[in-house]
Amino acid sequence: MAPRHVVPMSTSHAARGVCVLGTEVFLDTRRSTPRGAVSFDVHATPAVTVHMIHSPATKPSLDARWPLDPDIEVVVTIDATSRTVDDNQVKISYYDREGRELAVAWLYLTCVEVSLDVDWSRSGRVKSKGKDKDKWTWGPDGQGAVLLVNCDRDSPGAGGTDSGQADIRTPADLQDMSVMLLRTEGPSAIFAEYPVVLHVPESDADKVRVFHAVRGDAYPLYKPVLGPDKLSYVLDHAGHGDSTFYVEGLAFPDRGFSGLVSFSASLLEVPHKDSPGTPIFTDTVVFRVAPWIMTPNTQQPLEVFVCSIKQGSDSNEAFLEGLRALLRKANCKLTVCSEQDSRSDRWIQVSLPGPPPGTGEPLESPWHLFPLSQGPDFGYVTREPPGKSVTSLDSFGNLDVSPPVTVRGKEYPLGRILIGSPLPWMAGRRMCRAVRDFLYAQTVQAPLEVYSEWLSVGHVDEFLTFVPALDRKGFRLLLASPNACYKLFKEKQQQGHGEATQALRKKSIDEILADESLRSDNRHVQRCIDWNRDLLKQELGLSEQDIVDIPQLFILTNSRADALFPDMVNMLVLGRHLGIPKPFGPVVGGRCCLEQRVRELLEPLGLSCTFIDDFFSYHVLSGDVHCGTNVRRKPFAFKWWHVVP
């Protein structure tokens, strides 16, 4: 924590120095040893403790004098801050062989306190004198302070995020920052000679900003003192107790940035006015920037977002009516974004909802770069690759997160992120590296790349989703299943309903079952889904009892698959209420047999199924309910720093 502080002694004049409370001062006695001296002793005023460092074979004489041995070191510490300058003294006397005193060296010491402190114990309070403040460790027994990325907007009317402003415009902004205290105690005159400097490494400076709370005429002022354009700050009026600083994060962990940032306070010895000074004591603290965290379907929904598209044959007004009915059942807030705000784009799943600042924010893909609903405690972060044209895999229907799981004894208390990709050994469309690097860098939700490139759009939400359940692991994985669909249609055919026809595509069960080209397409699709099934069972610790197969057929176009009818796993999950794309399947006994089968599969789990018509407003445009909605969910109660990566 502190560099070795050495003070040279002299018999020709008294030495002066400063030391920090509780730290060691090494006395260099070699320069002060007079000719003919063979021993010495050390005396000090009461607040000074003298420590003699020596080998076991070296011992003082009966009169407490020590031999002049180059391996003996004299170290002093002081356990109380000075009230006046030079109020602590150390005297070293040198003796010849006859015991006569030859010379005396004096040292006058002023003891000060310099301590940089943060909430290293993660208790919500800044504590002083923490051990290993310069280290950060994961887990329930870990330590180290936490720093939030201040990417919401607490100031009404301000443009961009709060972190984009180099000032504090509202007291609410302070709630998104971490407190750092710099304590300085001692005679104020000594700090004029030995200044205290707060500083940040150049590598960390663009990741943080620090404000110093200073007393104003009517209310506190917050002076920006460290950040992208300033690496150090000399503390004014040192010696008068605690100085309060507020720290905000400017960047989430990312490629090349682990999330760790450090700050140091140094006491400098300045030999003359133009000298940069040399640190004689440094206290360092470390923060970890809170990661961006996704919330799974099992978290309580707080607000649903959807875009309004009013013009043209693909207006989503009918879809909105169905969605409103679902939200009334779920007792959940609905926010409808105007066409102007959404740039007439209905695919709002491009942004991901996250908890309030500190655990996650909506992340926008390169596909779009606009804040969904920025305001207090609702921020956003963007990632855009330089010079790369985006693909459909860059949209965030191609990103999901599992509920918390335990896999072969390894806990993932915040779940695991799922990214749609090609097969590991194949080239193909991938989510851009800028976003994938960002997701891996968050650390706490260990991403898993699944195989989605077999789909035309290529999104994971086209063949899987998670729903809450009251038993087993607390959830089920739903997988689209051609096999389950063929099994259902075969049952209906054997029951004499082969002529039942799909409402919109006008194709009967008999015709579907007789279509060998369609069956071949779906054998391929089933193999692709089965590959993912095995992967997810292995990497999420699932068994067959944790998986529900949802009947679904696909059709290949240019070797890639699209849903033949509205894709029912592409659903909106609001607690026990599910908003499922209405499949318009064959009607048997007055009911859509696909809807009936899904109810039979999910309602025993305590789930309520609402089927929403999205055929013309979303499905024919290559998406469904999940693609056209977005949900802000309640953050995890689990403290992310308790994760053991």
Side-chain angles (χ1 to χ4, degrees):
M1 178 180 294
R4 184 181 174 102
H5 182 197
V6 180
V7 176
M9 302 293 290
S10 173
T11 55
S12 62
H13 62 274
R16 293 182 65 246
V18 64
C19 70
V20 175
L21 186 70
T23 63
E24 297 177 330
V25 177
F26 291 79
L27 307 187
D28 182 358
T29 60
R30 289 171 296 179
R31 300 180 189 178
S32 60
T33 304
R35 182 176 298 180
V38 296
S39 64
F40 70 97
D41 60 19
V42 184
H43 297 279
T45 48
V48 181
T49 301
V50 179
H51 309 269
M52 306 299 295
I53 302 175
H54 58 91
S55 67
T58 304
K59 295 181 180 179
S61 62
L62 294 177
D63 51 7
R65 294 174 184 170
W66 292 84
L68 279 172
D69 186 328
D71 293 330
I72 295 177
E73 289 189 297
V74 182
V75 179
V76 298
T77 58
I78 302 178
D79 59 10
T81 55
S82 294
R83 294 188 177 184
T84 60
V85 175
D86 296 343
D87 62 352
N88 299 282
Q89 290 92 43
V90 179
K91 174 187 175 184
I92 300 181
S93 299
Y94 297 92
Y95 304 91
D96 62 13
R97 294 186 184 278
E98 284 72 36
R100 291 174 298 192
E101 185 179 77
L102 298 180
V104 174
W106 285 92
L107 171 63
Y108 293 90
L109 278 174
T110 305
C111 182
V112 298
E113 181 178 4
V114 177
S115 179
L116 188 61
D117 294 298
V118 292
D119 180 17
W120 56 269
S121 65
R122 304 167 186 164
S123 64
R125 293 179 299 169
V126 175
K127 294 184 178 181
S128 62
K129 298 180 174 60
K131 294 182 178 179
D132 298 324
K133 292 184 292 186
D134 58 344
K135 295 181 175 59
W136 203 100
T137 53
W138 293 95
D141 299 321
Q143 71 168 44
V146 173
L147 184 61
L148 311 183
V149 176
N150 193 12
C151 60
D152 67 342
R153 185 192 296 158
D154 289 307
S155 303
T161 63
D162 287 340
S163 60
Q165 310 296 327
D167 57 0
I168 294 176
R169 301 185 177 185
T170 171
D173 203 14
L174 299 175
Q175 302 303 312
D176 300 332
M177 301 186 189
S178 295
V179 175
M180 181 167 65
L181 298 180
L182 176 52
R183 174 168 297 171
T184 57
E185 295 280 1
S188 57
I190 202 70
F191 289 107
E193 186 178 351
Y194 295 87
V196 176
V197 178
L198 184 67
H199 50 101
V200 61
E202 185 177 10
S203 59
D204 295 347
D206 61 341
K207 315 295 193 306
V208 292
R209 186 178 288 114
V210 178
F211 297 89
H212 184 193
V214 295
R215 189 174 301 171
D217 293 335
Y219 49 86
L221 301 176
Y222 302 97
K223 176 183 177 182
V225 294
L226 295 179
D229 57 351
K230 192 167 179 59
L231 302 183
S232 63
Y233 171 66
V234 178
L235 184 66
D236 294 328
H237 310 297
H240 298 289
D242 290 345
S243 296
T244 302
F245 296 85
Y246 290 91
V247 187
E248 66 176 352
L250 305 182
F252 284 100
D254 210 334
R255 186 182 186 191
F257 174 44
S258 68
L260 292 176
V261 294
S262 66
F263 297 94
S264 299
S266 293
L267 183 68
L268 300 185
E269 183 175 38
V270 183
H272 54 81
K273 181 176 64 174
D274 298 325
S275 169
T278 303
I280 59 175
F281 171 81
T282 298
D283 202 13
T284 299
V285 296
V286 172
F287 288 92
R288 183 177 289 277
V289 175
W292 181 88
I293 297 175
M294 292 183 66
T295 48
N297 286 346
T298 48
Q299 291 298 110
Q300 177 187 343
L302 300 176
E303 186 175 6
V304 174
F305 298 89
V306 67
C307 296
S308 173
I309 305 295
K310 294 183 178 180
Q311 304 299 320
S313 59
D314 57 356
S315 163
N316 69 348
E317 285 299 300
F319 172 80
L320 288 177
E321 285 306 309
L323 186 62
R324 289 188 179 99
L326 169 68
L327 267 68
R328 285 193 292 270
K329 295 179 185 178
N331 192 28
C332 188
K333 178 182 178 181
L334 175 66
T335 295
V336 180
C337 301
S338 69
E339 285 190 77
Q340 180 179 2
D341 289 341
S342 66
R343 301 177 186 175
S344 298
D345 191 330
R346 70 195 65 224
W347 307 113
I348 203 168
Q349 189 58 218
V350 71
S351 295
L352 281 167
T359 49
E361 310 297 334
L363 171 66
E364 298 182 31
S365 77
W367 205 253
H368 280 294
L369 296 173
F370 65 92
L372 192 62
S373 180
Q374 193 185 10
D377 294 341
F378 196 108
Y380 73 103
V381 58
T382 63
R383 286 296 177 273
E384 185 173 11
K388 174 189 180 292
S389 59
V390 296
T391 72
S392 63
L393 270 71
D394 290 313
S395 294
F396 283 169
N398 193 34
L399 197 57
D400 209 332
V401 61
S402 79
V405 293
T406 300
V407 185
R408 297 181 293 278
K410 168 68 174 173
E411 294 183 354
Y412 299 92
L414 300 174
R416 297 192 67 179
I417 288 174
L418 306 181
I419 304 171
S421 296
L423 288 168
W425 57 87
M426 294 181 65
R429 299 170 297 167
R430 290 184 183 274
M431 182 175 286
C432 68
R433 183 168 183 175
V435 175
R436 283 190 293 125
D437 286 346
F438 177 88
L439 296 171
Y440 278 96
Q442 306 315 305
T443 304
V444 296
Q445 291 183 299
L448 170 64
E449 298 196 33
V450 300
Y451 177 33
S452 70
E453 215 248 343
W454 54 274
L455 290 149
S456 293
V457 176
H459 291 182
V460 295
D461 67 354
E462 296 178 79
F463 69 92
L464 68 82
T465 193
F466 298 91
V467 296
L470 298 177
D471 60 350
R472 297 185 60 78
K473 293 180 172 65
F475 69 90
R476 293 289 191 278
L477 167 64
L478 307 188
L479 288 177
S481 174
N483 284 352
C485 193
Y486 276 111
K487 180 181 178 181
L488 171 63
F489 285 175
K490 188 67 176 177
E491 288 175 7
K492 299 306 175 185
Q493 185 186 56
Q494 291 173 347
Q495 294 168 3
H497 303 293
E499 295 181 358
T501 303
Q502 282 187 294
L504 294 175
R505 295 195 178 271
K506 305 300 183 184
K507 202 167 186 179
S508 70
I509 289 177
D510 287 339
E511 290 171 325
I512 290 172
L513 292 175
D515 188 334
E516 285 301 322
S517 175
L518 182 64
R519 190 178 287 270
S520 175
D521 288 353
N522 280 279
R523 279 195 291 267
H524 167 72
V525 168
Q526 189 65 59
R527 284 193 293 270
C528 294
I529 294 174
D530 286 346
W531 191 91
N532 285 295
R533 186 191 203 94
D534 292 340
L535 176 70
L536 292 167
K537 285 168 66 175
Q538 178 179 349
E539 295 297 332
L540 298 183
L542 305 180
S543 67
E544 282 298 318
Q545 289 72 33
D546 300 313
I547 302 173
V548 178
D549 291 307
I550 301 299
Q552 186 67 48
L553 294 181
F554 295 81
I555 187 169
L556 295 188
T557 304
N558 297 323
S559 301
R560 290 197 173 105
D562 295 287
L564 181 66
F565 49 83
D567 190 349
M568 290 187 286
V569 298
N570 193 267
M571 64 177 67
L572 175 61
V573 181
L574 303 175
R576 57 180 292 269
H577 295 277
L578 310 180
I580 305 173
K582 188 174 182 63
F584 295 100
V587 177
V588 175
R591 295 182 177 180
C592 168
C593 66
L594 288 169
E595 290 186 23
Q596 183 63 24
R597 178 54 53 89
V598 170
R599 292 185 190 275
E600 292 168 356
L601 291 169
L602 299 183
E603 288 181 353
L605 300 175
L607 302 171
S608 172
C609 300
T610 299
F611 292 89
I612 300 175
D613 180 1
D614 72 348
F615 192 87
F616 292 108
S617 54
Y618 291 92
H619 175 70
V620 298
L621 302 174
S622 301
D624 279 295
V625 172
H626 184 258
C627 302
T629 56
N630 209 317
V631 187
R632 180 171 64 90
R633 299 184 183 274
K634 185 176 181 179
F636 282 102
F638 182 88
K639 296 177 174 61
W640 60 264
W641 51 86
H642 286 179
V643 169
V644 180

